[in-house]
Amino acid sequence: MDHFALKDGVMHAEDVPLPRIADEVGTPVYVYSRATLERHARVFAEGLAAVPDKLIAFAVKANPNLAVLKVLQRQGYGADCVSVGEMRRALAAGIAPEKIVFSGVGKTASELVAALEAGIGQFNIESEEEGVELAEIAAEMGLTAQCALRINPDVDAGTHDKISTGKADNKFGVPIDQAGQIFGKLAAAPSVNLRGVAVHIGSQLAELAPLEAAFLKLGELVKSLRGAGHTITHVDLGGGVGVPYRKGEITPAPADYGAMVARVTKDWGVSLIFEPGRVIAGNAGVLLTRVVRVKRGLNNPFVIVDAAMNDLARPALYGAYHHFEAVQPSGESMTANIVGPICETGDTFAMGRECDALSGGDLAVFRTAGAYGATMASSYNSRGFVAEVLVDGDRFAVVADRIDAGSIMDAERVPDWLA
Ligand code: LLP
């Protein structure tokens, strides 16, 4: 459930009419709803009520906006970070270092140093090589790094290939049959405390079965590691729960996810970590855009909007569906190709889409843009970065300024020898 709905024929975010935001902030603009973020955070946590000892660490990559992180920090969430940039954001939002998990397949030495200095809660190491390097760095700093080893369980998440992470030939984690040997090797290093295992098999999962299959494998591994004398106190189950992008699409309910986790892990005797991203933020945001003009096409008209693939990359990258609707629907509909202004055919949000009738100057939204939206923006075609707004009841604030193409150009220079 989200808080974007028509009131008196005009789409509102909570109690704010979207045309007001368009007038004051301009378009395109990402609009997030605080009440929706809080609701999703609460429902996800309630789904896990039967799991006694846990940390829910929001996957910052899904939406790293500081105000969004602050909303989640106030809900008691920690942060799953994959770069020092994300870690700094989590800390700036007031998330305690102990509640920060550092994931990622290519952490650099300087990032490991920065995360050790910050005193983060757990490093999810993705290889023996990374563990050895972390041990050396921590030893030099006189610190002990709390770690889990990310396992690649070789489970097909059944999602888009580009966001599948748990198949044997994906770059993430280590094969499950090498875990024992890596634990054996790193156990000898006093500067790392390898205390658990981690898994994340992919994103936008429509079914719980692949997650359960991966968790069952992890449970077996925990047993065998303990059998070999290792102390296992933490297991990180990653993220991945899918969200509905289409009206009526069925995705796993947090309560069902929580019940499955509680059932599978009940005898593990560990503290569990979760890294949800999309399920918290996806439907808590829309991309508000204005129709530039409608152009006749061979089969369907082209609705050219002022948002483009640089602002919302998912359709171009993954062929992803984002529901598109008018802010002030007339009740009429049309079949249209919805495209942005960028000079490549990839800048297409939808072909032959049945949608509200629109003409030049009308406002419309792309739904489910709160996760992997603004965060994946680029400045392609020198278009600058979109502004972001957070709504709270009948008020709103700009939580990220629009960065215009001129400011980006200001960071560039022509060397003397070319002038
Ligand atoms: N933990 C790890 C280690 C991850 O790699 C990810 C996402 C998550 C947690 C959060 O997964 P979620 O709960 O959001 O599914 N840009 C793509 C999604 C990439 C996801 C990458 N990893 C998209 O727009 O669909």
Side-chain angles (χ1 to χ4, degrees), residues 119-143:
I120 63 150
Q122 180 168 296
F123 293 82
N124 287 349
I125 60 172
E126 299 233 6
S127 60
E128 177 177 332
E129 295 84 346
E130 183 188 342
V132 168
E133 191 170 341
L134 177 60
E136 283 166 11
I137 293 172
E140 274 167 35
M141 295 171 73
L143 296 171

Side-chain angles (χ1 to χ4, degrees), residues 82-402:
V82 292
S83 67
V84 158
E86 287 190 353
M87 182 190 79
R88 300 239 183 276
R89 285 171 172 275
L91 292 169
I95 294 175
E98 323 71 270
K99 288 189 175 180
I100 295 179
V101 176
F102 195 179
S103 303
V105 73
K107 306 176 198 76
T108 63
S110 69
E111 286 183 308
L112 295 175
V113 169
L116 283 163
E117 276 169 354
I120 63 150
Q122 180 168 296
F123 293 82
N124 287 349
I125 60 172
E126 299 233 6
S127 60
E128 177 177 332
E129 295 84 346
E130 183 188 342
V132 168
E133 191 170 341
L134 177 60
E136 283 166 11
I137 293 172
E140 274 167 35
M141 295 171 73
L143 296 171
T144 303
Q146 305 301 325
C147 300
L149 180 63
R150 178 162 175 183
I151 305 300
N152 182 324
D154 195 19
V155 168
D156 186 349
T159 185
H160 193 283
D161 266 357
K162 287 189 183 164
I163 55 176
S164 172
T165 52
K167 286 191 275 189
D169 61 354
N170 293 147
K171 66 180 173 177
F172 298 97
V174 302
I176 205 157
D177 57 5
Q178 289 175 20
Q181 173 231 321
I182 296 173
F183 263 78
K185 174 139 192 205
L186 291 175
S191 57
V192 292
N193 176 25
L194 193 51
R195 63 184 193 179
V197 288
V199 73
H200 172 78
I201 61 170
S203 195
Q204 184 55 11
L205 270 67
E207 308 278 348
L208 292 175
L211 288 168
E212 181 166 349
F215 299 168
L216 286 168
K217 287 191 175 190
L218 228 55
E220 289 304 310
L221 176 63
V222 167
K223 258 193 237 159
S224 90
L225 290 170
R226 283 180 173 154
H230 301 291
T231 305
I232 305 297
T233 55
H234 290 72
V235 176
D236 184 333
L237 297 180
V241 175
V243 302
Y245 279 86
R246 295 167 197 262
K247 299 275 171 201
E249 187 178 347
I250 305 294
T251 50
D256 294 338
Y257 171 77
M260 180 275 282
V261 167
R263 175 167 48 77
V264 171
T265 65
K266 70 177 181 311
D267 299 325
W268 290 10
V270 296
S271 177
L272 289 178
I273 301 172
F274 300 90
E275 303 172 350
R278 192 185 318 256
V279 71
I280 306 298
N283 277 307
V286 299
L287 174 57
L288 176 59
T289 183
R290 198 179 284 283
V291 178
V292 177
R293 67 180 63 83
V294 179
K295 167 182 165 168
R296 276 191 304 277
L298 189 58
N299 297 310
N300 299 309
F302 289 95
V303 171
I304 307 168
V305 295
D306 65 0
M309 64 188 284
N310 72 304
D311 308 311
L312 177 63
R314 303 191 69 261
L317 261 184
Y318 318 119
Y321 178 100
H322 282 264
H323 188 70
F324 179 71
E325 60 191 288
V327 166
Q328 287 171 275
S330 61
E332 304 286 303
S333 60
M334 71 195 294
T335 304
N337 304 327
I338 302 149
V339 300
I342 282 185
C343 293
E344 62 176 273
T345 303
D347 187 24
T348 296
F349 293 108
M351 291 296 283
R353 177 79 68 86
E354 181 77 14
C355 64
D356 295 324
L358 287 160
S359 30
D362 289 348
L363 291 170
V365 293
F366 291 101
R367 290 265 195 164
T368 323
Y372 307 110
T375 179
M376 290 172 66
S378 76
S379 65
Y380 186 37
N381 274 209
S382 292
R383 283 174 45 85
F385 288 96
V386 202
E388 295 166 76
V389 157
L390 180 68
V391 170
D392 176 32
D394 61 1
R395 62 182 171 177
F396 72 87
V398 175
V399 294
D401 290 339
R402 192 176 301 284

